[in-house]
Every structure is written in C-alpha cells, then in structure tokens.
Amino acid sequence: MKQNFISFISAVSVILIFNTVIIGQSSSSDDLKSGINPENYDHSIDPNSDFYDFACNKWFGKNPIPPQNSRWGTWDVLIEQNNEVLKKILEDASKNTSAAPGSIEQKLGDLYFTAMDSVNIEKAGMEPLKKYFEMIDGISTQEEFQKVFAYLKSAGSGGLFSVWAGQDDKNSRNVILQFYQGGLGLSGKEYYTKNDENSVKVREKYLEFMRKIFTLLGNDNITAGDISRRIMDIEQRLADASMTRLESRQAEATYHPMSFQEVKDLMPDYNFEILFNEIGVSDAGKLDKGINIGQPEFFKELNRMLTDVKLEDWKNYLKWNLIRNNADKLSSDFEEASFEFYGKTLRGSLEQRPRWKKSLSFVESAMGEPLGQLFVELKFKPETKTKALQMVNNIKESFKDRIIQNDWMSEATKKEALKKLSTFNVKIGYTDEWKDYSGLEINRNSFFDNMIRASKFRMKQNMNKIGKPVNKNDWFMYPQTVNAYYSSSNNEIVFPAGILQPPFYDPSADDAVNYGGIGAVIGHEISHGFDDQGRKYDSEGNMKDWWTEEDAANFKVRADMLAKQYSGYNAVDSYYVDGNLTLGENIADLGGLITAYHAYMKTIDYNNDLILDGFTPSQRFFLGFAQMWMINYRPELMKTLVKTDSHSPPKFRVNGTIKNVEEFINAFGGKEGDPMINPKDKRIVIW
Ligand SMILES: [Zn+2]
C-alpha cells in the first residue's frame, strides 16, 4: 500500500522493531546520556578520508548483530528500551483480571494473554483457518469468488490490490477511496522481473516456501509444487502489470481520480458493490468525491485475469494469501516456514524472536495507538514537548533563512516556498485525541479471532473517514515508534514520543548532539516538504505546481546530480544504491543536516566555542550526526533494502551527505581532493 507519509528510517524497521535484544556497551544509560561516545572513534582513520568509519568504526566490532536480528544499531537500542516498557505494560494488563470490561487495559491485556498462549496456539494448529478454507473450497462461480475475496479483504487478507481511505492528492480536504496495485508475496515488481543473482534466489526460495505451506496443508509434494507454480503465475502477471517502485514514487503517476462509473468501466468484470458492502462504503454518498486508481493499467490487467485465470487457481491464491498473512499466528510448523523465508532469506536473521516480542508486535499491529496511550503516560514528560517544539521552531526559522538566501530560485517561487513553510503543522509526542476502540471486541477465547476482529475493525475505522472532514488529530505513527514523518497532504511534520529520547534527543545534553541528532531528523522532515516529490504539493497539501519553469529546471539539475552521486555508492557485493529511488530521502538528508547546523550556530553552546573531548562545537555536531547511524546489517537484509527501501544505507546517509556540505569541510579542515570532499563543481546544495 502506498503511504501518504514519508518516514525517517526504512519502513522495514517497523517489522524489525520487535526483533531486538540489548547487547554491547552502548546500551548503558551513561553512554546514551553522553550522546557522542569517544570510544567509538577510530583514530587510525582520517575523518576526511572516511568520516563515517572515523566516527563509528570501533562500535561495529563491539556490537555484533544478535541472532534474532537482521540489523543492530543505535535505533535498535532505543527501540529495545521502548519494548521493555511496552512489555511491562502488557504483562501488567494481562495479569489484571479486574480491568473494567471494554477498557483498553482489558483489551490489551486479553490480546497479549492470548498471543502469549503458545500451548493453545500450538494445539489449534491450522484449525483457526478452517472456516475460511471451507468458504474458499465452497466457491464454484466467479461471483462466489468475488464474495469470498471481499470478505477476506475486509479481514486484512485476500491479496490482489490494496484499498484504503486517504486524502485526495489534489483536494486534501477530501478523504476518498484509494486503490493501489498489490497482491504480491514478494516486495515489488522487481523481484519478479529482474534476473540478478539475489532476485533469482529469492524467487526460488519463495516458491519453496509456498510448496512447504501446501504440503503442510496435506498435499503431496508434486501437487504442492504444481499449486505453487500456478500461484506464482498469477503473481507474475500481477507483477508484470505493476509499476516499478521508481515509477510509482512520482506523485502524479499514481493519481487517477475517477467517478464510480469510470472505475466500473475500467473493470467491467469486477463487482465493486460486493467489495464495498464488505468494507463498509456501500453508502453512495461515500463515493461522491470520486475514487483514485493508483495504476489503471494494473487494474485493467486484473480485470482480464478475473476470467482468464481458472477458478481453481484463484481459490489456491486466496488460500495462499490467507496463510501467508497469518502463518506467524499459527502453530510452529507454519510459523517456522514463514520465518525461513521472511526472516532468514530476506533478512538474514538466524533465530526467531522470543514469544513476548512477537506477541508485542501482534498487539501493536492490532492496537498500537491504545498501547501508546499507556506508554506516554509512563514515558513522556510535557516539558519534553515544550523543548522539542522550541527546537522545531528554531530549525524552521533556519530553513526560512535558507530559502531567503537561496541563490538559484526566483523571488516568485521563494514566496510560495515561504508560504508553504509557514503553514507547516507540527505534531510532537502523541495525539491530542485518542482513537475510540470501544467497537473492538477482544477476549481470552481465541488469539486468531481477536486478530481477525482487529483487522476488520481497523478497516472500518479507516473507511469511516470517507466523506468526513480530515481529522487533524490523526497520526500515521504510534506514540512509541522510534521514527518521524512528513505528510504532504497535511503538510505536517510529526515526531512521536518514541524518538524524543536519548541518544536522539536529550534536553540535558550538549546542543551539538541534539542538533546533530534529532535536529537533523527535524530538518530532514521539513526538507521532505521541498524534496523532488514534496515540492509538488502546495501550502494546503494539494498537488499543484507553484514553481516557475526556470526554478523547476534549476531544481532538477541539482537533484539529478545528487541522484548520480548516490548511484555510484556500492551498498553490498555488486549491489549499488539506486540514486533515483532514494532521491527524496537524500535531498531530505542533505537539506536537513545543513538546516540543523545553521540552527545550531545560533545556540549558546555553539557560541561558547568550548572544546569537549578534544572536539570543537562544529565537529561534535557532525560526530553526533554520524553516530546516529551506527548500524550493523546482515547482507541479506542489505540486499533486500537496496531493492526496496527509499532510504540510502547508513554509511551514505552520512558520507554521501557531508561530502556536499561546506560546513563539514570547514569543521574538519579538509582540503580539495580529500575523499570526503566533493570537487567544487560537483558539490550540491539544494536547501
Ligand atoms: Zn525521510
């Protein structure tokens, strides 16, 4: 599904969040308080020849990736700390059998209790899926197929495409129904169409995973293999008709507003009424403002497939999607098969996470916001919000100066840019209005049924937004999440409580660390409003061109040069960063770092010019920035990310950025020709 917000670190981290244990010296609170840890510097490396390695190299060897993880770094240490808090909340809630029925404590406690009940989950085997399989087995007509599909879709499965309620890109006040390509078990078209070594291996392993599942369902090996190949044929057709990641990141490429009638004409063989009934948008008024179809060509092909593909194959496809989405909630044989592929092959994890971490991630996927409500009561102080807001304002002010001083943009475009900046909405900590979960029933009877009800509830919650004014208190991240985002439709930057903690943010620490850490994150999110996609949206969150032709051309020259730089960076083995796929993030990293630095220059700490740990204020700022990115990766995960993630690998988020930054050169006294300094004619400053 397309996100209408851009996160600071890869979305994969949401999955990885619960995949961590505390190890190594960097987890003690003293180290975190100090912000920059001098023990991590490698003095055998010249900062002007490899700044990232200079700042972080000693950390890598001391912090191996735990077997359950595919990544281990600064972010994970904090995520793990948050997890411990969340675990305590859930354990207390599940022990508290006297919580008021219907309260969020009761629901969180009961859900966690059933998720932890591995004995019953094991005993049930695939029993929880039985009633859905019976529905699928009972299909004998195309109409019945569409009915069962719609039912499964409303329960968070089904495949084929994504459907959700989101803001209209050109009229951000309207929430409309959105359709987007989907239905693939591998993350994106590229895995089905590319023939590099990794893609071929992943496809083979995926087929193996499928075959394993169908043997677990009672088929012999040959039948299971045959079913798997037929499902793969369906996915291959869906993939061939899909846009690439690169194509679909262009905002205008996925904007195709249509009337309901036009949508019906696009897919004459698909009965939308059946789906709309199931997901709760049958009320005609809900479709008045139109429907957006992300990729019309994909949906045309899907329409052809409805009748081309045999009903028997569709039935197996539905089963596959049901089980693929739920294998981790079933007995260990299914769980292990799923881990073998999604954990080992795609991420390189060696072991499964302990039960409590899986359970925590289930609870979070079902009731993340209510869980966050209890989290902030324990972990978030009002003064953190006040201080963080002050910092956001300082950095916004610095961005404003950067626009005014910009030397490649006309006054007319600057005026619009400043207008957009002035209307930025800032959210810090957590929402002012918690979502209502009273309609969700959670009990201690069945973990699987709890999760299905939660999926249906979330779908309904989302669809309820259609036709109503946009709720400004909606958050696309949970309060406990260690991340941040920019939303182009809301023109807002959002910083959850989860990230407003050491080492990213510590109100009592040196300003250098705070500005190099959370300051760079804040600058990054602001810059997203002006990256190659964000710049297409105006101050009201509408896709509208506010650039003069010449300014747009000036922007493009710089953006293209930046893309070219990053495409030259080798990520792992023979795999290179895709400078175009990561362009928006790289622009945001570059703009964010410079903007945060200029805001830092106005602080008392900077102007006191004290040397701490042998480094000047400017040097500490850049060191703090680099140490935010101390992360070890397994090569399997890195290969997956290079293909799928819009963020560059950490090393290039640091080195790729600073190579363009004059302020870095001045701070470390580098000279032309040093590896950390791009030649003057190739040095790019956009914001
Ligand atoms: Zn970003």
Side-chain angles (χ1 to χ4, degrees):
M1 175 170 126
K2 188 191 181 186
Q3 296 171 328
N4 61 342
F5 63 92
I6 309 159
S7 62
F8 187 69
I9 188 167
S10 75
V12 154
S13 68
V14 176
I15 299 155
L16 296 173
I17 272 175
F18 304 97
N19 212 3
T20 52
V21 290
I22 293 182
I23 54 151
Q25 45 84 37
S26 60
S27 60
S28 85
S29 61
D30 282 345
D31 285 342
L32 292 175
K33 284 265 183 236
S34 75
I36 317 175
N37 189 342
E39 284 174 27
N40 298 328
Y41 302 150
D42 186 339
H43 290 284
S44 72
I45 296 169
D46 176 358
N48 288 311
S49 86
D50 190 329
F51 186 63
Y52 181 66
D53 279 0
F54 168 77
C56 313
N57 206 33
K58 295 274 171 159
W59 182 91
F60 296 122
K62 284 184 288 189
N63 291 275
I65 306 170
Q68 301 146 356
N69 292 59
S70 47
R71 176 192 93 173
W72 184 254
T74 326
W75 295 78
D76 305 284
V77 173
L78 180 54
I79 288 166
E80 186 54 33
Q81 284 175 7
N82 289 352
N83 282 350
E84 292 292 337
V85 176
L86 298 168
K87 179 189 182 193
K88 177 84 172 52
I89 291 170
L90 290 173
E91 281 177 352
D92 289 350
S94 81
K95 278 182 214 144
N96 177 10
T97 45
S98 60
S103 63
I104 61 169
E105 285 83 357
Q106 174 261 312
K107 289 175 189 181
L108 290 168
D110 286 359
L111 185 55
Y112 188 68
F113 177 87
T114 56
M116 287 297 287
D117 187 1
S118 52
V119 174
N120 270 320
I121 292 171
E122 201 58 39
K123 212 160 51 184
M126 65 156 293
E127 183 68 25
L129 292 184
K130 223 175 147 194
K131 61 181 168 196
Y132 305 102
F133 274 29
E134 279 167 8
M135 287 169 71
I136 296 170
D137 286 331
I139 295 171
S140 59
T141 64
Q142 173 67 217
E143 196 192 342
E144 282 167 5
F145 161 66
Q146 294 193 15
K147 272 189 182 155
V148 174
F149 165 75
Y151 178 80
L152 294 172
K153 198 86 215 155
S154 74
S157 187
L160 292 186
F161 52 77
S162 295
V163 56
W164 78 100
Q167 281 160 279
D168 184 334
D169 257 354
K170 289 198 175 172
N171 194 342
S172 64
R173 286 179 198 190
N174 293 338
V175 178
I176 59 171
L177 199 58
Q178 311 258 1
F179 283 88
Y180 210 77
Q181 67 189 25
L184 306 178
L186 298 173
S187 181
K189 171 184 184 131
E190 292 79 359
Y191 276 113
Y192 296 82
T193 54
K194 287 195 170 173
N195 285 315
D196 61 281
E197 198 189 323
N198 180 252
S199 302
V200 171
K201 181 187 148 199
V202 166
R203 277 202 297 273
E204 277 167 10
K205 293 274 182 187
Y206 181 57
L207 257 177
E208 226 172 82
F209 167 37
M210 234 188 263
R211 195 173 53 226
K212 171 82 187 164
I213 291 291
F214 280 95
T215 49
L216 286 176
L217 293 179
N219 298 285
D220 62 57
N221 227 339
I222 294 173
T223 313
D226 184 52
I227 292 172
S228 305
R229 272 187 300 277
R230 286 161 178 276
I231 293 171
M232 199 61 177
D233 287 345
I234 293 179
E235 293 196 8
Q236 184 69 48
R237 273 186 79 174
L238 293 173
D240 287 338
S242 294
M243 279 187 192
T244 63
R245 232 165 245 280
L246 208 52
E247 285 162 347
S248 56
R249 78 173 285 276
Q250 299 299 326
E252 62 281 1
T254 55
Y255 185 66
H256 306 279
M258 298 182 189
S259 68
F260 185 23
Q261 188 54 50
E262 285 168 328
V263 172
K264 285 199 266 195
D265 293 343
L266 187 74
M267 284 190 75
D269 297 313
Y270 185 66
N271 189 333
F272 282 91
E273 275 93 354
I274 295 176
L275 177 73
F276 291 173
N277 263 327
E278 279 296 344
I279 62 175
V281 289
S282 48
D283 175 3
K286 295 234 174 201
L287 307 171
D288 280 357
K289 301 273 196 274
I291 297 170
N292 183 49
I293 301 288
Q295 299 83 3
E297 290 306 316
F298 173 87
F299 286 91
K300 274 189 209 163
E301 171 69 353
L302 182 55
N303 187 71
R304 283 188 286 270
M305 288 173 69
L306 286 176
T307 44
D308 282 4
V309 174
K310 287 196 192 108
L311 212 47
E312 247 358 87
D313 294 341
W314 277 132
K315 286 159 76 169
N316 283 323
Y317 175 81
L318 289 183
K319 284 186 182 173
W320 170 239
N321 274 277
L322 188 60
I323 213 152
R324 185 169 62 74
N325 288 321
N326 294 295
D328 55 354
K329 302 177 196 88
L330 301 172
S331 51
S332 51
D333 39 359
F334 289 96
E335 205 184 5
E336 270 158 27
S338 175
F339 172 74
E340 194 66 34
F341 181 70
Y342 287 111
K344 281 191 185 167
T345 303
L346 290 183
R347 303 206 170 90
S349 301
L350 306 176
E351 283 174 13
Q352 292 209 46
R353 299 169 292 169
R355 186 82 215 164
W356 75 264
K357 285 190 187 172
K358 286 186 216 164
S359 300
L360 172 53
S361 67
F362 291 136
V363 173
E364 195 161 50
S365 72
M367 297 182 67
E369 192 174 292
L371 180 60
Q373 195 174 342
L374 302 185
F375 174 85
V376 294
E377 280 172 18
L378 288 173
K379 286 293 285 182
F380 196 68
K381 299 188 193 84
E383 61 260 36
T384 306
K385 187 168 179 169
T386 318
K387 286 186 178 173
L389 188 61
Q390 185 56 50
M391 214 169 148
V392 171
N393 287 336
N394 293 347
I395 293 169
K396 254 174 83 178
E397 200 55 34
S398 161
F399 201 91
K400 184 178 163 188
D401 294 342
R402 307 281 311 162
I403 293 174
I404 292 168
Q405 291 157 16
N406 179 305
D407 61 3
W408 54 264
M409 212 172 176
S410 70
E411 288 308 315
T413 309
K414 278 186 186 179
K415 201 177 140 208
E416 288 301 314
L418 289 169
K419 186 174 162 201
K420 177 167 181 175
L421 183 69
S422 72
T423 61
F424 261 56
N425 185 33
V426 182
K427 289 176 176 171
I428 292 175
Y430 56 92
T431 178
D432 291 331
E433 183 192 319
W434 299 104
K435 286 196 183 93
D436 177 12
Y437 275 74
S438 58
L440 172 62
E441 188 202 335
I442 298 287
N443 57 44
R444 295 202 172 201
N445 298 342
S446 157
F447 167 57
F448 196 84
D449 290 349
N450 276 339
M451 291 302 287
I452 292 285
R453 276 197 302 273
S455 285
K456 283 176 161 281
F457 178 81
R458 281 202 315 278
M459 174 71 90
K460 215 172 120 192
Q461 210 176 34
N462 179 239
M463 291 301 161
N464 271 341
K465 295 178 183 176
I466 300 177
K468 297 194 181 119
V470 173
N471 182 353
K472 295 285 176 194
N473 287 317
D474 253 0
W475 282 52
F476 302 126
M477 270 177 195
Y478 305 131
Q480 65 273 29
T481 304
V482 183
N483 212 331
Y485 70 85
Y486 168 74
S487 155
S488 46
S489 292
N490 290 326
N491 196 31
E492 68 182 3
I493 46 177
V494 183
F495 307 95
I499 197 175
L500 296 172
Q501 303 179 79
F504 300 100
Y505 179 60
D506 181 354
S508 61
D510 182 14
D511 275 337
V513 185
N514 281 328
Y515 277 85
I518 196 76
V521 178
I522 294 166
H524 173 104
E525 300 307 338
I526 294 174
S527 303
H528 267 315
F530 305 90
D531 72 17
D532 67 313
Q533 299 308 313
R535 74 174 191 86
K536 295 173 180 170
Y537 295 80
D538 69 6
S539 58
E540 287 171 22
N542 293 323
M543 204 199 304
K544 195 176 153 194
D545 192 1
W546 45 270
W547 292 64
T548 67
E549 224 170 276
E550 200 189 336
D551 291 334
N554 279 336
F555 179 94
K556 197 170 178 309
V557 168
R558 286 160 178 78
D560 287 348
M561 280 171 71
L562 195 66
K564 211 174 146 206
Q565 279 182 13
Y566 278 79
S567 290
Y569 297 138
N570 178 247
V572 58
D573 294 352
S574 59
Y575 295 89
Y576 280 74
V577 176
D578 182 338
N580 288 307
L581 181 63
T582 56
L583 181 58
E585 295 300 333
N586 300 333
I587 291 173
D589 279 342
L590 182 58
L593 186 67
I594 300 177
T595 308
Y597 183 83
H598 283 268
Y600 171 55
M601 284 171 73
K602 292 183 190 154
T603 63
I604 296 169
D605 276 10
Y606 175 86
N607 288 294
N608 281 345
D609 206 19
L610 284 179
I611 306 285
L612 287 179
D613 295 335
F615 291 101
T616 66
S618 299
Q619 290 173 335
R620 293 199 303 278
F621 169 88
F622 289 107
L623 288 166
F625 171 68
Q627 289 201 352
M628 176 161 69
W629 292 111
M630 296 184 294
I631 309 178
N632 279 318
Y633 282 86
R634 294 203 194 278
E636 291 87 347
L637 176 64
M638 189 50 89
K639 284 175 196 168
T640 298
L641 291 178
V642 162
K643 276 207 187 70
T644 58
D645 190 7
S646 59
H647 304 84
S648 295
K651 179 164 189 156
F652 308 114
R653 292 192 79 163
V654 176
N655 285 355
T657 305
I658 54 142
K659 280 182 184 188
N660 292 302
V661 176
E662 201 85 42
E663 292 81 351
F664 169 79
I665 303 173
N666 295 334
F668 282 88
K671 48 190 189 311
E672 293 295 329
D674 284 344
M676 286 298 101
I677 297 172
N678 281 335
K680 238 186 176 133
D681 60 332
K682 298 219 164 69
R683 220 173 283 157
I684 300 154
V685 175
I686 299 181
W687 299 112

